[in-house]
Amino acid sequence: MGIFGIIMILAVIQLFAAGSIIQRGNASLIPNFLLEKITNLPEYCRIFGNRLILLALVGIACAVMSFTSVEFSTRPILIFGLGILLVIVLLILDHKKFTK
């Protein structure tokens, strides 16, 4: 489980860095197909960055769980998978809210 924890820490660093950059209004990291019909780009960037930071927080919880478990457990992997699904659903709902 230590390898999964190390992978999660690296993913958390990347998610937090990308989320912080996007949250400040830099839309260059967001794919173009998501930006085509956005009406309020600064607000969309803020929300998109917040969602990535939320996924980073879930990743921190999974890393801590994987480092503290003595034996192999699929719980951190399942929780991170559920966190990814939650963020995808929230991003879809936010995209519908900000498109024309």
Coordinates of all heavy atoms in Angstrom, one line a residue:
M1 N 0.8 -1.2 0.0 CA 0.0 0.0 0.0 C 0.9 1.3 0.0 O 0.4 2.3 -0.3 CB -0.9 0.0 1.2 CG -2.1 -1.0 1.2 SD -3.1 -1.1 -0.3 CE -3.8 0.5 -0.3
G2 N 2.1 1.1 0.3 CA 3.0 2.3 0.3 C 3.2 2.9 -1.1 O 3.3 4.1 -1.2
I3 N 3.2 2.0 -2.1 CA 3.4 2.5 -3.4 C 2.2 3.3 -3.9 O 2.3 4.3 -4.5 CB 3.6 1.3 -4.4 CG1 5.0 0.7 -4.1 CG2 3.6 1.8 -5.9 CD1 5.2 -0.6 -4.9
F4 N 1.0 2.8 -3.5 CA -0.2 3.6 -3.8 C -0.2 4.9 -3.1 O -0.7 5.9 -3.7 CB -1.5 2.7 -3.4 CG -2.8 3.5 -3.7 CD1 -3.2 3.6 -5.0 CD2 -3.5 4.0 -2.7 CE1 -4.4 4.3 -5.3 CE2 -4.7 4.7 -2.9 CZ -5.1 4.8 -4.2
G5 N 0.3 4.9 -1.9 CA 0.3 6.2 -1.1 C 1.3 7.2 -1.8 O 1.0 8.4 -1.9
I6 N 2.4 6.7 -2.3 CA 3.3 7.6 -3.0 C 2.7 8.1 -4.3 O 2.9 9.3 -4.6 CB 4.7 6.8 -3.2 CG1 5.4 6.6 -1.9 CG2 5.6 7.6 -4.2 CD1 6.6 5.6 -2.0
I7 N 2.1 7.2 -5.0 CA 1.4 7.6 -6.3 C 0.3 8.7 -5.9 O 0.2 9.7 -6.7 CB 0.8 6.4 -7.0 CG1 1.9 5.5 -7.5 CG2 -0.1 6.9 -8.1 CD1 1.5 4.2 -8.1
M8 N -0.4 8.5 -4.9 CA -1.5 9.4 -4.5 C -0.9 10.8 -4.1 O -1.4 11.8 -4.4 CB -2.3 8.9 -3.3 CG -3.2 7.7 -3.7 SD -4.2 8.1 -5.1 CE -5.1 9.5 -4.6
I9 N 0.3 10.8 -3.4 CA 0.9 12.1 -3.0 C 1.3 12.8 -4.3 O 1.2 14.0 -4.4 CB 2.1 11.8 -2.1 CG1 1.5 11.4 -0.7 CG2 2.9 13.1 -1.9 CD1 2.5 11.1 0.3
L10 N 1.9 12.1 -5.3 CA 2.3 12.8 -6.5 C 1.1 13.3 -7.3 O 1.1 14.4 -7.8 CB 3.1 11.8 -7.4 CG 4.4 11.3 -6.8 CD1 5.1 10.3 -7.7 CD2 5.4 12.5 -6.7
A11 N 0.0 12.5 -7.3 CA -1.2 13.0 -7.9 C -1.8 14.2 -7.2 O -2.3 15.1 -7.9 CB -2.2 11.8 -8.0
V12 N -1.8 14.2 -5.9 CA -2.3 15.3 -5.1 C -1.5 16.6 -5.4 O -2.1 17.6 -5.6 CB -2.2 15.0 -3.6 CG1 -2.3 16.2 -2.8 CG2 -3.3 14.0 -3.2
I13 N -0.2 16.5 -5.5 CA 0.6 17.6 -5.9 C 0.2 18.2 -7.2 O 0.0 19.4 -7.4 CB 2.1 17.3 -5.8 CG1 2.5 17.0 -4.3 CG2 2.9 18.4 -6.4 CD1 3.9 16.4 -4.2
Q14 N 0.1 17.3 -8.2 CA -0.3 17.8 -9.5 C -1.7 18.4 -9.6 O -2.0 19.4 -10.2 CB -0.2 16.6 -10.5 CG 1.2 16.2 -10.8 CD 1.3 15.0 -11.7 OE1 0.3 14.4 -12.1 NE2 2.5 14.7 -12.1
L15 N -2.7 17.7 -8.9 CA -4.1 18.2 -8.9 C -4.1 19.5 -8.2 O -4.9 20.4 -8.6 CB -5.0 17.2 -8.2 CG -5.3 16.0 -9.0 CD1 -6.0 14.9 -8.1 CD2 -6.2 16.3 -10.2
F16 N -3.4 19.7 -7.1 CA -3.5 20.9 -6.3 C -2.9 22.1 -7.1 O -3.4 23.2 -7.2 CB -2.8 20.8 -5.0 CG -3.0 22.0 -4.1 CD1 -4.2 22.1 -3.4 CD2 -2.1 22.9 -3.9 CE1 -4.5 23.2 -2.6 CE2 -2.3 24.0 -3.1 CZ -3.5 24.1 -2.4
A17 N -1.7 21.8 -7.8 CA -1.1 22.8 -8.6 C -1.9 23.2 -9.8 O -2.1 24.4 -10.0 CB 0.3 22.3 -9.1
A18 N -2.5 22.3 -10.5 CA -3.4 22.6 -11.6 C -4.6 23.3 -11.2 O -5.1 24.3 -11.8 CB -3.7 21.3 -12.4
G19 N -5.2 22.8 -10.1 CA -6.4 23.5 -9.6 C -6.2 24.9 -9.1 O -7.0 25.8 -9.4
S20 N -5.0 25.2 -8.5 CA -4.7 26.5 -8.1 C -4.5 27.4 -9.3 O -4.9 28.6 -9.3 CB -3.5 26.5 -7.2 OG -3.7 25.8 -6.0
I21 N -3.8 26.9 -10.3 CA -3.6 27.8 -11.5 C -4.9 28.1 -12.2 O -5.2 29.2 -12.6 CB -2.6 27.1 -12.4 CG1 -1.2 27.0 -11.8 CG2 -2.5 27.7 -13.8 CD1 -0.2 26.1 -12.5
I22 N -5.7 27.1 -12.4 CA -7.0 27.3 -13.1 C -7.9 28.1 -12.3 O -8.6 29.0 -12.8 CB -7.7 25.9 -13.4 CG1 -6.8 25.2 -14.4 CG2 -9.1 26.1 -13.9 CD1 -7.3 23.7 -14.7
Q23 N -7.9 28.0 -11.0 CA -8.8 28.8 -10.1 C -8.5 30.3 -10.2 O -9.4 31.1 -10.0 CB -8.6 28.3 -8.6 CG -9.6 28.9 -7.7 CD -9.3 28.4 -6.3 OE1 -8.2 28.0 -5.9 NE2 -10.3 28.4 -5.4
R24 N -7.3 30.6 -10.5 CA -6.9 32.0 -10.6 C -7.3 32.6 -12.0 O -7.0 33.8 -12.3 CB -5.5 32.2 -10.4 CG -5.1 32.0 -8.9 CD -3.7 32.3 -8.6 NE -3.5 32.1 -7.2 CZ -2.8 31.1 -6.7 NH1 -2.3 30.2 -7.5 NH2 -2.6 30.9 -5.4
G25 N -7.9 31.8 -12.9 CA -8.4 32.4 -14.1 C -7.6 32.0 -15.4 O -7.9 32.4 -16.4
N26 N -6.6 31.1 -15.2 CA -5.8 30.7 -16.4 C -6.6 29.5 -17.0 O -6.5 28.3 -16.6 CB -4.4 30.3 -15.9 CG -3.5 30.0 -17.1 OD1 -3.9 30.0 -18.2 ND2 -2.3 29.7 -16.7
A27 N -7.3 29.7 -18.1 CA -8.1 28.7 -18.8 C -7.3 27.9 -19.8 O -7.8 27.0 -20.4 CB -9.2 29.4 -19.4
S28 N -6.0 28.1 -19.9 CA -5.2 27.4 -20.9 C -5.0 25.9 -20.5 O -4.7 25.1 -21.4 CB -3.8 28.0 -21.0 OG -3.1 27.9 -19.8
L29 N -5.2 25.6 -19.3 CA -5.1 24.2 -18.8 C -6.4 23.4 -19.0 O -6.4 22.2 -18.9 CB -4.6 24.1 -17.4 CG -3.2 24.6 -17.1 CD1 -3.0 24.6 -15.6 CD2 -2.2 23.9 -17.9
I30 N -7.5 24.1 -19.3 CA -8.8 23.4 -19.5 C -8.9 23.1 -21.0 O -8.6 23.9 -21.8 CB -9.9 24.3 -19.1 CG1 -9.8 24.7 -17.6 CG2 -11.3 23.7 -19.4 CD1 -10.9 25.7 -17.1
P31 N -9.3 21.8 -21.3 CA -9.4 21.5 -22.8 C -10.4 22.4 -23.5 O -11.4 22.9 -23.0 CB -9.9 20.1 -22.7 CG -9.6 19.5 -21.4 CD -9.6 20.7 -20.5
N32 N -10.1 22.6 -24.8 CA -10.9 23.6 -25.6 C -12.3 23.1 -25.8 O -13.2 24.0 -25.8 CB -10.2 23.8 -27.0 CG -8.9 24.6 -26.9 OD1 -8.8 25.4 -26.0 ND2 -8.0 24.3 -27.8
F33 N -12.6 21.8 -25.8 CA -13.9 21.4 -26.1 C -14.8 21.7 -24.9 O -16.1 21.8 -25.0 CB -14.0 19.9 -26.4 CG -13.7 19.0 -25.3 CD1 -14.7 18.5 -24.5 CD2 -12.4 18.6 -25.0 CE1 -14.4 17.7 -23.4 CE2 -12.1 17.7 -24.0 CZ -13.1 17.3 -23.2
L34 N -14.3 21.9 -23.7 CA -15.0 22.3 -22.5 C -15.3 23.9 -22.5 O -16.2 24.3 -21.8 CB -14.3 21.9 -21.2 CG -14.3 20.5 -20.9 CD1 -13.4 20.2 -19.7 CD2 -15.6 19.9 -20.8
L35 N -14.5 24.6 -23.2 CA -14.6 26.1 -23.2 C -15.4 26.7 -24.3 O -15.6 27.9 -24.4 CB -13.2 26.7 -23.2 CG -12.3 26.4 -22.0 CD1 -10.9 26.9 -22.3 CD2 -12.9 26.8 -20.7
E36 N -16.0 25.8 -25.2 CA -16.6 26.3 -26.4 C -17.8 27.2 -26.2 O -17.9 28.3 -26.8 CB -17.0 25.2 -27.3 CG -15.9 24.5 -28.0 CD -16.3 23.3 -28.8 OE1 -17.5 22.9 -28.8 OE2 -15.4 22.7 -29.4
K37 N -18.7 26.9 -25.3 CA -19.9 27.7 -25.1 C -20.1 28.2 -23.7 O -21.2 28.5 -23.3 CB -21.1 26.8 -25.4 CG -21.2 26.3 -26.9 CD -22.4 25.4 -27.1 CE -22.4 24.9 -28.6 NZ -23.5 24.0 -28.8
I38 N -19.0 28.4 -23.1 CA -19.0 29.0 -21.7 C -19.4 30.4 -21.7 O -18.8 31.2 -22.4 CB -17.7 28.7 -21.0 CG1 -17.3 27.3 -20.9 CG2 -17.7 29.4 -19.6 CD1 -18.3 26.4 -20.1
T39 N -20.3 30.8 -20.9 CA -20.8 32.2 -20.8 C -20.0 33.1 -19.8 O -19.7 34.2 -20.1 CB -22.3 32.3 -20.5 OG1 -22.5 31.6 -19.2 CG2 -23.1 31.6 -21.5
N40 N -19.6 32.5 -18.7 CA -18.9 33.3 -17.7 C -17.6 32.5 -17.4 O -17.5 31.7 -16.5 CB -19.8 33.4 -16.4 CG -19.2 34.3 -15.4 OD1 -18.1 34.8 -15.5 ND2 -19.9 34.4 -14.3
L41 N -16.6 32.8 -18.2 CA -15.3 32.1 -18.1 C -14.6 32.3 -16.7 O -14.1 31.3 -16.2 CB -14.4 32.5 -19.2 CG -13.1 31.7 -19.3 CD1 -13.4 30.2 -19.6 CD2 -12.3 32.2 -20.4
P42 N -14.5 33.5 -16.1 CA -13.8 33.6 -14.8 C -14.5 32.7 -13.7 O -13.8 32.1 -13.0 CB -13.9 35.1 -14.5 CG -14.0 35.7 -15.8 CD -14.8 34.8 -16.6
E43 N -15.8 32.7 -13.7 CA -16.5 31.9 -12.7 C -16.3 30.5 -12.9 O -16.2 29.7 -12.0 CB -18.0 32.3 -12.7 CG -18.8 31.6 -11.6 CD -18.4 32.1 -10.2 OE1 -17.9 33.2 -10.0 OE2 -18.7 31.4 -9.2
Y44 N -16.4 30.1 -14.2 CA -16.2 28.7 -14.6 C -14.8 28.2 -14.2 O -14.6 27.1 -13.7 CB -16.4 28.5 -16.1 CG -16.3 27.0 -16.5 CD1 -17.3 26.1 -16.2 CD2 -15.3 26.6 -17.3 CE1 -17.3 24.8 -16.6 CE2 -15.2 25.2 -17.7 CZ -16.2 24.4 -17.3 OH -16.1 23.1 -17.7
C45 N -13.8 29.0 -14.4 CA -12.4 28.7 -14.0 C -12.3 28.5 -12.5 O -11.6 27.6 -12.0 CB -11.4 29.7 -14.5 SG -11.1 29.7 -16.2
R46 N -12.9 29.4 -11.8 CA -12.9 29.2 -10.3 C -13.5 27.9 -9.9 O -12.9 27.2 -9.0 CB -13.6 30.4 -9.7 CG -13.4 30.5 -8.2 CD -14.2 31.7 -7.6 NE -15.6 31.6 -7.7 CZ -16.4 30.8 -6.9 NH1 -15.9 30.1 -6.0 NH2 -17.7 30.8 -7.1
I47 N -14.7 27.6 -10.4 CA -15.4 26.4 -10.0 C -14.6 25.1 -10.5 O -14.4 24.2 -9.7 CB -16.8 26.4 -10.6 CG1 -17.6 27.5 -10.0 CG2 -17.5 25.0 -10.4 CD1 -18.0 27.3 -8.6
F48 N -14.0 25.2 -11.7 CA -13.2 24.1 -12.2 C -12.0 23.8 -11.3 O -11.7 22.7 -11.0 CB -12.8 24.3 -13.6 CG -12.4 23.1 -14.4 CD1 -13.3 22.4 -15.2 CD2 -11.0 22.7 -14.4 CE1 -12.9 21.3 -15.9 CE2 -10.6 21.6 -15.1 CZ -11.6 20.9 -15.9
G49 N -11.3 24.9 -10.9 CA -10.2 24.7 -10.1 C -10.6 24.2 -8.7 O -9.8 23.4 -8.1
N50 N -11.7 24.6 -8.2 CA -12.2 24.1 -6.9 C -12.4 22.6 -6.9 O -12.2 21.9 -6.0 CB -13.4 24.9 -6.4 CG -13.1 26.3 -6.0 OD1 -12.0 26.6 -5.7 ND2 -14.2 27.1 -5.9
R51 N -13.0 22.2 -8.1 CA -13.3 20.7 -8.2 C -12.0 19.9 -8.2 O -11.9 18.9 -7.6 CB -14.1 20.5 -9.5 CG -15.4 21.1 -9.5 CD -16.3 20.8 -8.4 NE -17.6 21.4 -8.6 CZ -18.3 22.0 -7.6 NH1 -17.8 22.0 -6.4 NH2 -19.4 22.6 -7.8
L52 N -10.9 20.4 -8.9 CA -9.7 19.7 -8.9 C -9.0 19.7 -7.5 O -8.4 18.7 -7.1 CB -8.7 20.4 -9.9 CG -9.1 20.2 -11.4 CD1 -8.0 20.9 -12.2 CD2 -9.2 18.7 -11.7
I53 N -9.2 20.8 -6.8 CA -8.6 20.9 -5.4 C -9.4 19.9 -4.5 O -8.9 19.3 -3.6 CB -8.6 22.3 -4.9 CG1 -7.6 23.1 -5.6 CG2 -8.3 22.4 -3.4 CD1 -7.6 24.6 -5.4
L54 N -10.7 19.8 -4.7 CA -11.6 18.8 -4.0 C -11.1 17.4 -4.2 O -10.9 16.6 -3.3 CB -13.0 19.0 -4.4 CG -14.0 17.9 -3.8 CD1 -14.1 18.1 -2.3 CD2 -15.3 18.0 -4.5
L55 N -10.7 17.1 -5.5 CA -10.2 15.8 -5.8 C -8.8 15.6 -5.1 O -8.5 14.5 -4.7 CB -10.1 15.6 -7.3 CG -9.7 14.2 -7.8 CD1 -10.7 13.1 -7.2 CD2 -9.7 14.1 -9.3
A56 N -8.1 16.6 -5.0 CA -6.8 16.5 -4.3 C -7.0 16.2 -2.8 O -6.2 15.4 -2.3 CB -6.0 17.8 -4.5
L57 N -8.0 16.8 -2.2 CA -8.3 16.5 -0.8 C -8.7 15.1 -0.6 O -8.3 14.5 0.4 CB -9.3 17.5 -0.3 CG -8.9 19.0 -0.2 CD1 -10.1 19.9 0.2 CD2 -7.7 19.1 0.7
V58 N -9.5 14.6 -1.5 CA -9.8 13.2 -1.5 C -8.6 12.3 -1.6 O -8.4 11.3 -0.9 CB -10.9 12.8 -2.6 CG1 -11.1 11.3 -2.6 CG2 -12.2 13.5 -2.3
G59 N -7.7 12.7 -2.5 CA -6.4 12.0 -2.7 C -5.6 12.0 -1.4 O -4.9 11.0 -1.1
I60 N -5.6 13.1 -0.7 CA -4.8 13.2 0.6 C -5.4 12.2 1.6 O -4.6 11.4 2.2 CB -4.9 14.6 1.2 CG1 -4.0 15.5 0.3 CG2 -4.4 14.6 2.6 CD1 -4.2 17.0 0.7
A61 N -6.7 12.1 1.7 CA -7.3 11.1 2.6 C -7.0 9.7 2.2 O -6.7 8.9 3.0 CB -8.9 11.3 2.6
C62 N -7.0 9.4 0.9 CA -6.6 8.1 0.4 C -5.2 7.7 0.7 O -4.8 6.6 1.0 CB -6.9 7.9 -1.1 SG -8.7 8.0 -1.4
A63 N -4.3 8.7 0.5 CA -2.9 8.5 0.8 C -2.6 8.2 2.3 O -1.9 7.3 2.6 CB -2.0 9.7 0.4
V64 N -3.3 9.0 3.2 CA -3.2 8.7 4.6 C -3.7 7.3 4.9 O -3.1 6.6 5.7 CB -3.9 9.8 5.4 CG1 -4.0 9.5 6.9 CG2 -3.2 11.1 5.2
M65 N -4.8 7.0 4.3 CA -5.4 5.6 4.6 C -4.5 4.5 4.1 O -4.3 3.5 4.8 CB -6.8 5.5 3.9 CG -7.9 6.2 4.6 SD -9.4 6.2 3.7 CE -9.7 4.5 3.4
S66 N -3.8 4.7 3.0 CA -3.0 3.7 2.5 C -1.7 3.6 3.3 O -1.1 2.5 3.4 CB -2.6 3.9 1.0 OG -1.9 5.0 0.8
F67 N -1.2 4.7 3.8 CA 0.1 4.7 4.6 C -0.2 4.1 6.0 O 0.7 3.5 6.6 CB 0.7 6.1 4.8 CG 1.5 6.5 3.6 CD1 1.3 7.7 3.0 CD2 2.4 5.7 3.0 CE1 2.0 8.1 1.9 CE2 3.2 6.0 1.9 CZ 3.0 7.3 1.4
T68 N -1.4 4.2 6.5 CA -1.7 3.8 7.9 C -2.2 2.3 7.9 O -2.2 1.7 9.0 CB -2.7 4.7 8.6 OG1 -3.9 4.7 7.8 CG2 -2.2 6.1 8.8
S69 N -2.5 1.8 6.8 CA -3.0 0.4 6.8 C -1.8 -0.6 6.8 O -0.8 -0.4 6.1 CB -3.9 0.1 5.6 OG -3.2 -0.2 4.5
V70 N -1.9 -1.6 7.6 CA -0.8 -2.5 7.8 C -0.9 -3.6 6.6 O 0.2 -3.9 6.1 CB -0.9 -3.2 9.1 CG1 0.2 -4.3 9.3 CG2 -0.8 -2.2 10.2
E71 N -2.0 -4.0 6.3 CA -2.2 -5.0 5.3 C -2.9 -4.4 4.0 O -3.4 -3.3 4.1 CB -3.0 -6.2 5.8 CG -4.3 -5.8 6.3 CD -5.0 -7.0 7.0 OE1 -4.3 -7.7 7.7 OE2 -6.2 -7.1 6.9
F72 N -2.9 -5.1 3.0 CA -3.5 -4.7 1.7 C -5.0 -4.4 1.9 O -5.7 -5.3 2.4 CB -3.2 -5.7 0.6 CG -3.8 -5.2 -0.7 CD1 -3.2 -4.2 -1.5 CD2 -5.0 -5.8 -1.2 CE1 -3.8 -3.8 -2.7 CE2 -5.6 -5.3 -2.4 CZ -4.9 -4.4 -3.1
S73 N -5.4 -3.3 1.5 CA -6.8 -2.9 1.5 C -7.2 -2.2 0.3 O -6.5 -1.3 -0.2 CB -7.1 -2.0 2.7 OG -8.4 -1.6 2.7
T74 N -8.4 -2.5 -0.3 CA -8.9 -1.8 -1.5 C -9.7 -0.6 -1.1 O -10.1 0.1 -2.0 CB -9.7 -2.8 -2.3 OG1 -10.8 -3.2 -1.5 CG2 -8.9 -3.9 -2.8
R75 N -9.9 -0.3 0.2 CA -10.7 0.8 0.6 C -10.1 2.2 0.0 O -10.9 3.0 -0.5 CB -10.8 0.9 2.1 CG -11.7 2.0 2.5 CD -11.9 2.0 4.0 NE -12.6 0.8 4.5 CZ -12.6 0.4 5.7 NH1 -12.0 1.1 6.6 NH2 -13.2 -0.7 6.0
P76 N -8.8 2.5 0.1 CA -8.4 3.8 -0.5 C -8.6 3.9 -2.0 O -8.9 4.9 -2.5 CB -6.9 3.8 -0.1 CG -6.7 2.8 1.0 CD -7.7 1.8 0.8
I77 N -8.4 2.8 -2.7 CA -8.6 2.8 -4.1 C -10.1 3.0 -4.4 O -10.4 3.8 -5.3 CB -8.1 1.4 -4.7 CG1 -6.6 1.3 -4.4 CG2 -8.4 1.4 -6.2 CD1 -6.1 -0.1 -4.7
L78 N -11.0 2.4 -3.7 CA -12.4 2.6 -4.0 C -12.8 4.0 -3.6 O -13.6 4.6 -4.3 CB -13.2 1.5 -3.2 CG -13.1 0.1 -3.6 CD1 -13.8 -0.8 -2.6 CD2 -13.6 -0.1 -5.0
I79 N -12.3 4.5 -2.5 CA -12.7 5.9 -2.1 C -12.2 6.9 -3.2 O -12.9 7.8 -3.5 CB -12.2 6.2 -0.7 CG1 -12.9 5.4 0.3 CG2 -12.2 7.7 -0.4 CD1 -12.5 5.5 1.7
F80 N -11.0 6.7 -3.7 CA -10.5 7.6 -4.7 C -11.3 7.5 -6.0 O -11.6 8.5 -6.6 CB -9.0 7.4 -5.0 CG -8.4 8.5 -5.9 CD1 -8.3 9.7 -5.4 CD2 -8.0 8.2 -7.2 CE1 -7.7 10.7 -6.2 CE2 -7.5 9.2 -8.0 CZ -7.3 10.5 -7.5
G81 N -11.7 6.3 -6.3 CA -12.6 6.1 -7.5 C -13.9 6.8 -7.3 O -14.4 7.4 -8.2
L82 N -14.5 6.7 -6.1 CA -15.8 7.4 -5.8 C -15.5 8.9 -5.9 O -16.4 9.6 -6.3 CB -16.3 7.0 -4.5 CG -16.9 5.5 -4.4 CD1 -17.3 5.2 -3.0 CD2 -18.1 5.4 -5.3
G83 N -14.4 9.4 -5.4 CA -14.1 10.8 -5.5 C -14.0 11.3 -6.9 O -14.5 12.4 -7.2
I84 N -13.4 10.5 -7.8 CA -13.3 10.8 -9.2 C -14.7 10.9 -9.8 O -15.0 11.8 -10.5 CB -12.4 9.8 -10.0 CG1 -11.0 10.0 -9.6 CG2 -12.6 10.0 -11.5 CD1 -10.0 8.9 -10.2
L85 N -15.6 9.9 -9.5 CA -16.9 9.9 -10.0 C -17.7 11.2 -9.5 O -18.4 11.8 -10.2 CB -17.7 8.6 -9.6 CG -17.2 7.4 -10.3 CD1 -18.0 6.2 -9.7 CD2 -17.5 7.5 -11.8
L86 N -17.5 11.5 -8.2 CA -18.2 12.7 -7.7 C -17.7 13.9 -8.4 O -18.6 14.8 -8.8 CB -17.9 12.8 -6.2 CG -18.3 14.1 -5.5 CD1 -19.8 14.1 -5.3 CD2 -17.6 14.3 -4.2
V87 N -16.4 14.1 -8.6 CA -15.9 15.3 -9.3 C -16.4 15.3 -10.7 O -16.8 16.4 -11.3 CB -14.4 15.3 -9.2 CG1 -13.8 16.4 -10.1 CG2 -14.0 15.6 -7.8
I88 N -16.5 14.2 -11.4 CA -17.0 14.2 -12.8 C -18.4 14.6 -12.8 O -18.8 15.4 -13.7 CB -16.8 12.7 -13.4 CG1 -15.4 12.5 -13.7 CG2 -17.7 12.6 -14.7 CD1 -15.1 11.1 -14.1
V89 N -19.3 14.1 -11.9 CA -20.7 14.5 -11.9 C -20.8 16.0 -11.6 O -21.6 16.7 -12.2 CB -21.4 13.7 -10.8 CG1 -22.8 14.3 -10.5 CG2 -21.6 12.2 -11.3
L90 N -20.0 16.5 -10.6 CA -20.0 17.9 -10.3 C -19.6 18.8 -11.5 O -20.2 19.9 -11.8 CB -19.2 18.2 -9.1 CG -19.7 17.7 -7.8 CD1 -18.7 18.0 -6.7 CD2 -21.0 18.4 -7.4
L91 N -18.5 18.3 -12.3 CA -18.1 19.1 -13.4 C -19.1 19.1 -14.5 O -19.3 20.1 -15.2 CB -16.8 18.5 -13.9 CG -15.5 18.8 -13.1 CD1 -14.3 18.0 -13.6 CD2 -15.2 20.3 -13.1
I92 N -19.8 18.0 -14.7 CA -20.9 17.9 -15.7 C -22.0 18.9 -15.3 O -22.5 19.6 -16.2 CB -21.4 16.5 -15.9 CG1 -20.4 15.6 -16.6 CG2 -22.7 16.5 -16.7 CD1 -20.7 14.1 -16.6
L93 N -22.4 18.9 -14.1 CA -23.5 19.8 -13.6 C -23.0 21.3 -13.8 O -23.8 22.1 -14.2 CB -23.9 19.5 -12.2 CG -24.6 18.2 -12.0 CD1 -24.8 17.9 -10.5 CD2 -25.9 18.1 -12.7
D94 N -21.8 21.6 -13.4 CA -21.2 22.9 -13.6 C -21.2 23.3 -15.0 O -21.5 24.5 -15.4 CB -19.9 23.1 -13.0 CG -19.9 22.9 -11.4 OD1 -21.0 23.2 -10.9 OD2 -18.9 22.6 -10.9
H95 N -20.8 22.4 -15.9 CA -20.7 22.7 -17.3 C -22.1 23.1 -17.9 O -22.2 24.0 -18.7 CB -20.1 21.6 -18.1 CG -19.8 21.9 -19.5 ND1 -18.7 22.7 -19.9 CD2 -20.4 21.5 -20.7 CE1 -18.7 22.8 -21.2 NE2 -19.7 22.1 -21.7
K96 N -23.1 22.3 -17.5 CA -24.5 22.6 -17.9 C -24.9 24.0 -17.4 O -25.7 24.7 -18.1 CB -25.4 21.5 -17.4 CG -25.3 20.2 -18.2 CD -26.3 19.2 -17.7 CE -26.1 17.9 -18.5 NZ -27.1 16.9 -18.0
K97 N -24.5 24.3 -16.2 CA -24.9 25.6 -15.6 C -24.3 26.8 -16.3 O -24.9 27.8 -16.5 CB -24.5 25.6 -14.1 CG -25.0 26.9 -13.4 CD -24.8 26.7 -11.9 CE -23.4 26.8 -11.5 NZ -23.2 26.9 -10.1
F98 N -23.0 26.6 -16.9 CA -22.3 27.7 -17.5 C -22.4 27.8 -19.0 O -21.8 28.6 -19.6 CB -20.9 27.7 -17.0 CG -20.7 28.2 -15.6 CD1 -20.4 27.3 -14.6 CD2 -20.8 29.5 -15.3 CE1 -20.2 27.7 -13.3 CE2 -20.6 30.0 -14.0 CZ -20.3 29.0 -13.0
T99 N -23.1 26.9 -19.6 CA -23.2 26.9 -21.1 C -24.4 27.6 -21.5 O -25.4 27.8 -20.7 CB -23.1 25.5 -21.7 OG1 -24.2 24.7 -21.1 CG2 -21.8 24.8 -21.5
K100 N -24.5 28.0 -22.8 CA -25.6 28.8 -23.3 C -26.8 27.9 -23.5 O -26.7 26.8 -23.7 CB -25.2 29.4 -24.7 CG -24.2 30.4 -24.6 CD -23.8 30.9 -25.9 CE -22.7 31.9 -25.8 NZ -22.2 32.4 -27.1

